[in-house]
Amino acid sequence: MPGLNKGDIIALKNGKTAKICSKLGEGGQGSVFLAEINEKKYALKWYHKGTVKQPDIFYRNLENNIEQGSPSDAFVWPIYLTVKNDGEFGYVMNLMPNNYKSFTDFLLTKEKFSSISVVVNAALNITNAFRELHRRGFSYQDLNDGNFFIDPKTGDVLICDTDNVAPYGEALGIAGKARYMAPEVVRNITAPDVMTDRFSLAVILFRLLFLDHPLEGKRTLCPCLTEKLEQKFYGVSPLFIYDPYDTSNIPVRGVHCNVIRLWKYYPKFIKDKFIYSFSQECLHGSQRRLTDNDWQIAFTRLRDCIITCPCGSETFIDLKADSSVCINCGRKIPRPPVLKSKKYAAALFPGNKLYRCHTIEDSDDYTEVTASVVRSKNRPNVWGLRNLSDNTWNVTLKDGTTTEVPNGKVQIIVNAHKIDFGNCIGELEF
Amino acid sequence: MAGIYDDVVEVARRTMVLFFVVDTSGSMEGAKIGTLNQAIEDIIPEITDISENNADAEIKVAVLEFSNGAKWITPTPIPAQDFTWAYLNSGGMTDFGEACKELNEKLSRNSFMSDITGSFAPAIFLLSDGAPTDNYQPNLEALQQNNWFKKAIKVAVAIGSDANKDVLAEFTGNAEGVLTVHSPEALKKMIRFVSVTSSQIGSRSAAVGNTAPDEVVSKQNVFLEQVNVAYNNGDFEDESIEW
């Protein structure tokens, strides 16, 4: 019987040893164990003999990935490799913290996202992780709902199963799940690579927002989904459920309930990204698929138009319309002031934040807060923008005069015309 | 404070029915049926786990026993998490043809395969230690024409050397789908392997990326490949008590 037992001592390539404590789980390729190295706990994945198609290449690839290091903190990356033992081997990675829940659990509603912001944060974190991975010359190859772990309260993301990650142009012969693979991979015309990762990423992002599957509607609701039909629905003739030119695969009431309910809430510009991504041209690869960076910009823009309505719920603001309607309470919300910078336009509504990408020219950092919109304590109708950055802002007021706003200080929004954040100018629109 | 994600519902999953078709004729009496009962009971939590952590499909279990005639233990397929194995007793003849007839009737959209969200092809697991005592051929031939049956992952375990492996191979469609065991320990291992592996493969979206262009790999073949790996690893070797 292959596998390891409690108490086994496994030699690592770096000369250390790992002691097996218990089994954490089992998958198609192998088992994951709780292991101890120098009194610290880790996870150790051990491959069953024969389950890896080209073990030598696979082993060398793992070795290379460990040497290169993780492209981003979002990946649960291999950190040590074991010595081969009678053709079997494994690698060591960090343990998954308890607050991260499998994306599968969200699809099965064992876990729920606490707000729209959390979903959008998760989308940003996923796209950024893949952007960093691809920028380092890797491709992931086998994206599916089982690879992602998300904190339901924050949208922080950890991506596991990184053992199939390989440098561009190399495919490890890993079989992916048809539902998540690009049509050309489903048809076995191309091996998985960065371009096919882009397709899978679009499927994951769609499911993150809408839970249901972008290619599963009326047409795919067949009594028996055989392997041949999967080839058809995901490979040969896939059709987006909201394809504007062909409505034969629309979502079915009572079956695809989530997407029917959620699709209508989202702003048109983000829906258009999905309509484009799953257009026939992009499905069949004749049009350029959206890059990770395209998605990162799109989701940053989406976050810029989320506000918390006085009813306590988050809603979207149409930055081009005079007013928007809260998706929860139906209240009419007049358009708040908008800060326009080179790439972004952000709603300035109490509770909203600006990030480095808004206040620093050409920054794409969507994580570090540089300003927040606050209400005056004694006059709640007066909104201000608090400087949380290290730079002193130079604000041009509506009357043409200028004033300085250092870190920690607040500028009353309604009086401002332009803000020079240091190396980037934002213009206010009312 | 209501959010739009408060009211989301579990995504529509397909169903994958795992059929246990069990020979409960007189010759199964004693260690064979005893081991079988316990092994299947033991494996249900693992099947439940595969089902509950799977966004592609939910696994349901259906049980058919045959001896003098054939009888469904489950009136309808039961979700794995709600299923408890009722211990089977043995006695009587081996009316394999009756089992084929029952299976053919239930493998229909109007019967066991009626879920609105659709199904994956089922996994059918036959366990027998003997040879049919009835005129099974017409019923088996009819079953072989059933489209659900054609697409199913089919596997048979021959318990001991008296099992008629040719008949079992007719059922599975090939000799590779017939796995022979000679001891209670091996039977236990085999039940675990077949139940878990066929559930894993059968309840997930098809594996792609490893074949020639536009070639469709059947789940049955993916299953058989795993059987090969297991054999090569010596997973089924046993030198204990023989029947």
Side-chain angles (χ1 to χ4, degrees), chain A residues 229-246:
Chain A
L229 283 174
E230 286 204 63
Q231 279 270 323
K232 182 182 166 192
F233 297 150
Y234 307 115
V236 180
S237 52
L239 178 61
F240 183 42
I241 52 176
Y242 289 121
D243 187 303
Y245 306 105
D246 184 344

Side-chain angles (χ1 to χ4, degrees), chain A residues 72-74 117-132 135 154-157 159 292-293 295-304 343-344 353-360 362-371:
Chain A
S72 134
D73 289 345
S117 298
V118 168
V119 173
V120 175
N121 272 341
L124 276 167
N125 291 328
I126 289 172
T127 52
N128 184 255
F130 280 96
R131 194 183 76 165
E132 297 311 309
R135 281 187 176 174
T154 63
D156 289 341
V157 168
I159 302 165
D292 318 310
N293 201 44
W295 282 116
Q296 188 172 314
I297 293 169
F299 281 107
T300 305
R301 286 182 181 157
L302 183 61
R303 188 172 62 180
D304 285 345
K343 240 190 264 177
Y344 302 101
K353 292 181 174 68
L354 298 180
Y355 298 81
R356 281 170 70 90
C357 58
H358 297 104
T359 61
I360 293 180
D362 294 330
S363 167
D364 51 19
D365 181 354
Y366 62 90
T367 59
E368 194 182 320
V369 178
T370 54

Side-chain angles (χ1 to χ4, degrees), chain A residues 120-393:
Chain A
V120 175
N121 272 341
L124 276 167
N125 291 328
I126 289 172
T127 52
N128 184 255
F130 280 96
R131 194 183 76 165
E132 297 311 309
L133 182 87
H134 291 150
R135 281 187 176 174
R136 293 276 286 271
F138 290 114
S139 70
Y140 187 86
Q141 314 206 357
D142 178 25
L143 277 88
N144 66 63
D145 56 84
N147 310 136
F148 296 90
F149 289 77
I150 305 170
D151 183 326
K153 292 198 177 75
T154 63
D156 289 341
V157 168
L158 284 175
I159 302 165
C160 61
D161 296 334
T162 50
D163 44 351
N164 299 331
V165 167
Y168 184 79
E170 286 180 31
L172 294 171
I174 298 304
K177 268 159 103 174
R179 285 178 105 187
Y180 290 93
M181 292 291 113
E184 65 271 27
V185 176
V186 174
R187 295 180 62 186
N188 298 302
I189 295 170
T190 339
D193 62 14
V194 173
M195 300 305 146
T196 67
D197 268 4
R198 283 185 189 173
F199 175 85
S200 306
L201 178 66
V203 175
I204 289 289
L205 293 172
F206 185 90
R207 299 205 77 179
L208 192 64
L209 266 61
F210 307 111
L211 277 83
D212 293 320
H213 193 286
L215 304 177
E216 293 172 14
K218 192 175 167 188
R219 207 179 57 134
T220 62
L221 210 59
C222 54
C224 181
L225 186 66
T226 60
E227 298 83 318
K228 207 171 166 186
L229 283 174
E230 286 204 63
Q231 279 270 323
K232 182 182 166 192
F233 297 150
Y234 307 115
V236 180
S237 52
L239 178 61
F240 183 42
I241 52 176
Y242 289 121
D243 187 303
Y245 306 105
D246 184 344
T247 56
S248 62
N249 198 27
I250 52 167
V252 176
R253 257 174 217 295
V255 180
H256 308 111
C257 310
N258 297 312
V259 74
I260 291 175
R261 221 171 60 81
L262 297 168
W263 179 255
K264 61 177 181 282
Y265 293 138
Y266 274 85
K268 183 175 179 298
F269 78 89
I270 203 83
K271 292 195 279 198
D272 284 345
K273 296 283 179 206
F274 287 110
I275 292 172
Y276 173 79
S277 292
F278 299 117
S279 64
Q280 286 298 303
E281 291 77 12
C282 284
L283 280 166
H284 294 296
S286 64
Q287 278 270 14
R288 171 184 162 276
R289 289 177 179 148
L290 291 189
T291 62
D292 318 310
N293 201 44
D294 294 336
W295 282 116
Q296 188 172 314
I297 293 169
F299 281 107
T300 305
R301 286 182 181 157
L302 183 61
R303 188 172 62 180
D304 285 345
C305 59
I306 299 171
I307 64 147
T308 303
C309 172
C311 76
S313 273
E314 286 185 342
T315 189
F316 297 106
I317 291 288
D318 182 346
L319 299 176
K320 291 191 179 121
D322 291 342
S323 64
S324 304
V325 172
C326 171
I327 56 180
N328 178 52
C329 69
R331 180 192 316 238
K332 197 168 153 186
I333 303 167
R335 182 182 54 197
V338 175
L339 181 97
K340 287 198 154 174
S341 58
K342 198 172 157 192
K343 240 190 264 177
Y344 302 101
L348 297 180
F349 199 84
N352 281 27
K353 292 181 174 68
L354 298 180
Y355 298 81
R356 281 170 70 90
C357 58
H358 297 104
T359 61
I360 293 180
E361 180 117 14
D362 294 330
S363 167
D364 51 19
D365 181 354
Y366 62 90
T367 59
E368 194 182 320
V369 178
T370 54
S372 71
V373 184
V374 292
R375 275 182 202 277
S376 157
K377 279 180 189 158
N378 55 343
R379 289 170 61 200
N381 287 339
V382 179
W383 302 350
L385 192 63
R386 187 187 298 277
N387 183 352
L388 299 173
S389 74
D390 296 333
N391 292 345
T392 295
W393 299 346

